Amino acid sequence: MLSFSFYNSTMTNNNLIQKAETVLNNNFKEDKGFTIPCEGLYPFQWNWDSGFIAIGFAHYDATKAKREIEALLSAQWENGFIPHIVFHNDSDTYFPGPDFHQSKLHPLASKTHRTTGMTQPPVLGFVLKELYDIIEDKVDILNFIKRNIDKVYNNHEHFYTYRDPNKEGLVYIYHNWESGTDNSPIWDDIWATMDPPKYKFERRDTTHVDAAQRPTNREYDYYLHLIEIAKEHNYDDAKIAELSPFLVQDPLFNAMLIKSNAALIELYGLIGNSDDKIKTLKQWQTKAIKRFNEKLFNEKLGAYVHYDLRNEKQIEYLSSSSFAPIFADIPNEERVETIVKTMMKKFGTEDRYLCASFDPESDRFNPKKYWRGPVWINLNWLLYRGLKAYGFYDLSNRVKKDSIELIEKYGFYEYFDSRKEVKENAGYGGNNFSWSAALLIDFLKS
Ligand code: GLC
């Protein structure tokens, strides 16, 4: 007979999974076949959100998982670029919308969809592999992958051709919104080098969420200014590399690309007849991992950091992105020990949930503000997978347990307070947030 506590926790888990499915189903837009991150605050399709969302759907609705990916890829540019937002629909609850971004200034922008002219962490490669692993009908999912994998390959080729001016295997981002960790204190050093005009605009995010959890107006000036520079040059990558004051090699972004390279190698292996592509992917991969370890590791801090390519220096701060390379098998065994020690000492004390998005010991840490401290479920999911793969079973289980507990206690929020002493209302940002729901399903089902 099952013991009561086991029965009880199974009940709770099933209940949570059901709630998560409801969040995802409510955020899915049936006509266009994509899922909004959450109502009001994020009313369009976001690139890396869709990847995580598809993983959640894969566990109970393979059709939706496939439609999600196809909806994103339908907006791919002719040069392989995949934009960060696809404006499938109109909405006046978000700024800046398609009229501000004007991505069609780029001659190879999507002719069929309105999009932004920037991208997000390239998760699609490894997401395809996740879908293959999760979805039971292997013939059907492999056919789906066959139809779409070259699009993801072309995207990687675009990165290595146009986003790697030194040809060193590391790609740059030119905007904080490309990083996925939009409001991280990492960018403060770059804002200090800029003096943009004060733009006139109407914020929409602060009508949905407490302003104390969101960026300031002055920070929005920096964000808009970077877009204006890119627009002035029709979103030309070479011009951006030459002129953008924000030019960063981000360890999270590059780790996602490397993990996706590895997944494409495996998937092309399954598909067969793809030797040339596998060979090129392996070349990119070897070069990327070597340079990543040489350039982005900081011995003093004991983890990876961002590299400011415009000002040719490391940005010496720890964030959850500092640990993300564990997910992509980038550090060797010795280095991973160092990284885990750093994580435990600074982020993993018993009074905290793992994993704060920014160094809790830094004076830039803010436990409530958007990427300046709170825990994010997608970063936790990456860390959980990485720690487990390196054999840190206790720690990976703690990350998983913390993630589930936060959602169970507070709901499907966008981000959470890492301090255990905060007992009420520790969920912040948008509620009914899609990737928190999707990855909760994966945590509980795999
Ligand atoms: C926020 C996050 C970004 C995410 C977007 C939509 O801007 O910083 O990573 O993609 O919301 O959820």
Side-chain angles (χ1 to χ4, degrees):
M1 221 179 91
L2 293 175
S3 77
F4 176 73
S5 65
F6 175 80
Y7 178 71
N8 195 34
S9 75
T10 310
M11 285 263 291
T12 318
N13 287 353
N14 287 343
N15 195 3
L16 264 183
I17 290 172
Q18 246 176 30
K19 283 188 182 156
E21 290 182 5
T22 306
V23 169
L24 282 187
N25 293 342
N26 287 344
N27 286 342
F28 184 73
K29 302 286 164 199
E30 186 57 51
D31 51 339
K32 301 278 165 62
F34 77 95
T35 309
I36 55 169
C38 80
E39 196 69 45
L41 190 60
Y42 307 117
F44 309 109
Q45 183 173 32
W46 261 258
N47 180 330
W48 77 326
D49 295 64
S50 279
F52 295 122
I53 289 164
I55 293 173
F57 277 138
H59 286 285
Y60 72 98
D61 190 334
T63 306
K64 283 203 183 104
K66 291 184 287 180
R67 288 188 70 191
E68 186 73 35
I69 302 295
E70 274 171 343
L72 179 64
L73 288 173
S74 69
Q76 183 169 27
W77 293 12
E78 290 162 24
N79 58 1
F81 180 83
I82 304 177
H84 114 283
I85 302 177
V86 185
F87 302 104
H88 290 286
N89 48 302
D90 289 314
S91 170
D92 57 8
T93 66
Y94 181 84
F95 173 83
D99 298 342
F100 186 88
H101 286 281
Q102 291 179 32
S103 61
K104 293 213 165 41
L105 288 168
H106 192 292
L108 299 177
S110 169
K111 302 281 183 287
T112 51
H113 292 74
R114 296 171 302 166
T115 74
T116 58
M118 63 179 83
T119 187
Q120 265 193 327
V123 299
L124 280 188
F126 75 76
V127 167
L128 287 183
K129 177 68 175 40
E130 290 292 320
L131 299 197
Y132 181 77
D133 292 341
I134 298 167
I135 292 172
E136 271 171 25
D137 186 343
K138 300 294 176 209
V139 175
D140 181 67
I141 189 63
L142 196 59
N143 278 331
F144 172 80
I145 292 169
K146 278 185 198 157
R147 286 200 299 280
N148 290 294
I149 191 168
D150 286 350
K151 298 175 191 163
V152 182
Y153 178 91
N154 293 344
N155 181 235
H156 290 206
E157 189 165 48
H158 175 269
F159 277 126
Y160 288 118
T161 312
Y162 296 105
R163 290 290 190 105
D164 179 14
N166 299 335
K167 298 289 164 240
E168 58 185 332
L170 298 177
V171 304
Y172 73 73
I173 55 172
Y174 79 86
H175 199 289
N176 52 311
W177 289 342
E178 291 201 309
S179 69
T181 59
D182 298 15
N183 194 32
S184 170
I186 303 287
W187 321 129
D188 294 1
D189 285 11
I190 299 172
W191 309 145
T193 69
M194 292 170 60
D195 188 20
K198 285 204 172 62
Y199 292 99
K200 274 214 172 65
F201 56 90
E202 207 183 311
R203 294 272 294 271
R204 298 298 162 94
D205 56 331
T206 42
T207 62
H208 309 292
V209 169
D210 182 354
Q213 297 165 21
R214 300 287 303 180
T216 61
N217 276 356
R218 187 60 184 149
E219 281 166 331
Y220 258 74
D221 287 335
Y222 300 118
Y223 310 166
L224 300 181
H225 190 57
L226 292 172
I227 300 174
E228 290 296 359
I229 294 171
K231 276 156 66 176
E232 239 170 74
H233 301 283
N234 301 330
Y235 288 107
D236 179 84
D237 295 288
K239 278 284 178 207
I240 289 172
E242 194 188 321
L243 297 168
S244 177
F246 187 117
L247 208 70
V248 171
Q249 289 165 325
D250 179 316
L252 171 63
F253 193 99
N254 278 280
M256 298 299 96
L257 185 57
I258 287 171
K259 180 72 176 180
S260 286
N261 281 337
L264 293 186
I265 293 170
E266 281 191 59
L267 291 173
Y268 275 123
L270 284 173
I271 291 169
N273 289 326
S274 309
D275 291 354
D276 288 354
K277 293 213 170 83
I278 292 179
K279 195 170 152 216
T280 308
L281 280 159
K282 284 188 174 164
Q283 281 165 354
W284 289 336
Q285 192 72 329
T286 310
K287 191 168 160 184
I289 292 177
K290 181 165 179 287
R291 195 67 184 129
F292 196 115
N293 274 309
E294 287 165 0
K295 198 174 184 184
L296 304 187
F297 196 74
N298 184 295
E299 295 286 349
K300 197 174 71 206
L301 293 174
Y304 295 95
V305 292
H306 295 68
Y307 190 86
D308 179 346
L309 197 55
R310 173 60 63 236
N311 300 297
E312 289 289 3
K313 58 175 191 215
Q314 286 190 344
I315 306 175
E316 296 190 302
Y317 284 96
L318 292 172
S319 62
S320 45
S321 303
S322 302
F323 312 126
I326 300 179
F327 175 69
D329 204 15
I330 291 170
N332 63 21
E333 294 286 335
E334 193 191 327
R335 194 162 268 187
V336 88
E337 293 283 347
T338 308
I339 295 169
V340 166
K341 268 195 200 124
T342 306
M343 185 197 275
M344 289 312 290
K345 188 161 161 256
K346 301 232 176 190
F347 294 64
T349 47
E350 284 303 324
D351 54 341
R352 291 194 177 277
Y353 290 107
L354 282 167
C355 178
S357 44
F358 197 71
D359 183 353
E361 292 180 1
S362 164
D363 54 8
R364 292 185 180 182
F365 175 78
N366 180 333
K368 290 189 171 181
K369 209 165 182 160
Y370 199 46
W371 292 110
R372 300 183 77 92
V375 174
W376 291 73
I377 298 301
N378 63 336
L379 260 296
N380 271 15
W381 183 84
L382 300 173
L383 296 180
Y384 162 71
R385 287 298 192 90
L387 289 165
K388 193 172 161 195
Y390 276 95
F392 293 95
Y393 300 116
D394 289 347
L395 187 52
S396 65
N397 277 331
R398 183 174 153 198
V399 175
K400 176 173 172 169
K401 198 177 127 280
D402 284 0
S403 309
I404 298 169
E405 192 175 315
L406 283 167
I407 293 176
E408 201 177 352
K409 271 192 171 163
Y410 303 113
F412 293 94
Y413 276 92
E414 186 181 2
Y415 39 99
F416 301 88
D417 209 305
S418 63
R419 299 166 302 170
K420 287 190 178 161
E421 81 220 29
V422 181
K423 303 269 184 240
E424 277 167 34
N425 305 327
Y428 305 134
N431 194 358
N432 296 320
F433 190 73
S434 293
W435 82 37
S436 300
L439 296 176
L440 186 273
I441 296 174
D442 193 72
F443 271 132
L444 290 178
K445 285 208 173 178
S446 56

